[in-house]
């Protein structure tokens, strides 16, 4: 049985504690996957770039990502293009805050 370090954070979706760029693009991920990624974003302080383009998050999954962005101050680049987003675009922009702090890519 492997022992974990006492202060080591366990991430649900496999994002390593010291990772700065994560690519989950083109994996057929859905809203449930977005929930797990969002949880990881809430406790991760190293990820600056998150690429989740060309999945199936839809508005439900994007909502979870938006809520995580409200407490995550390190993500500066996010790609959610080609995820069938409609009503969640405003929520994501609101969660993101100042456009000067980074950029958000949404469906065309």
């Amino acid at each position: 049985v492997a022992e974990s370090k006492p202060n080591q954070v366990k991430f649900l979706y496999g994002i390593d504690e010291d990772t700065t760029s994560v690519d989950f693009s083109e994996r057929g991920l859905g809203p449930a996957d977005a929930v797990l990624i969002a949880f990881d974003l809430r406790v991760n302080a190293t990820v600056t770039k998150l690429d989740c383009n060309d999945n199936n998050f839809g508005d439900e999954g994007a909502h979870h990502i938006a809520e995580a962005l409200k407490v995550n101050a390190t993500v500066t680049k996010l790609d959610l293009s080609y995820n069938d987003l409609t009503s969640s675009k405003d929520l994501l922009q609101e969660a993101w805050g100042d456009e000067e702090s980074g950029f958000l890519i949404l469906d065309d």
Side-chain angles (χ1 to χ4, degrees):
V1 175
E3 291 185 34
S4 63
K5 299 175 188 173
N7 295 326
Q8 185 177 12
V9 176
K10 296 291 185 190
F11 294 103
L12 296 175
Y13 218 76
I15 299 173
D16 291 332
E17 194 171 14
D18 58 348
T19 298
T20 59
S21 182
V22 180
D23 185 355
F24 289 127
S25 62
E26 301 177 16
R27 296 193 184 183
L29 304 178
D33 299 296
V35 169
L36 298 176
I37 293 168
F39 177 84
D40 285 358
L41 289 177
R42 284 185 178 89
V43 295
N44 183 293
T46 60
V47 171
T48 59
K49 180 183 178 190
L50 179 63
D51 186 349
C52 293
N53 83 79
D54 202 12
N55 282 295
N56 301 305
F57 286 176
D59 288 325
E60 180 184 351
H63 172 79
H64 293 291
I65 298 292
E67 290 299 313
L69 288 175
K70 290 180 180 179
V71 297
N72 179 300
T74 59
V75 174
T76 58
K77 295 182 177 124
L78 173 65
D79 188 344
L80 290 177
S81 57
Y82 304 104
N83 269 285
D84 300 319
L85 307 183
T86 57
S87 63
S88 60
K89 291 180 181 183
D90 290 337
L91 179 64
L92 282 160
Q93 192 62 50
E94 178 184 318
W96 192 264
D98 182 11
E99 289 184 28
E100 298 299 317
S101 65
F103 66 90
L104 180 65
I105 302 171
L106 300 170
D107 275 350
D108 296 330

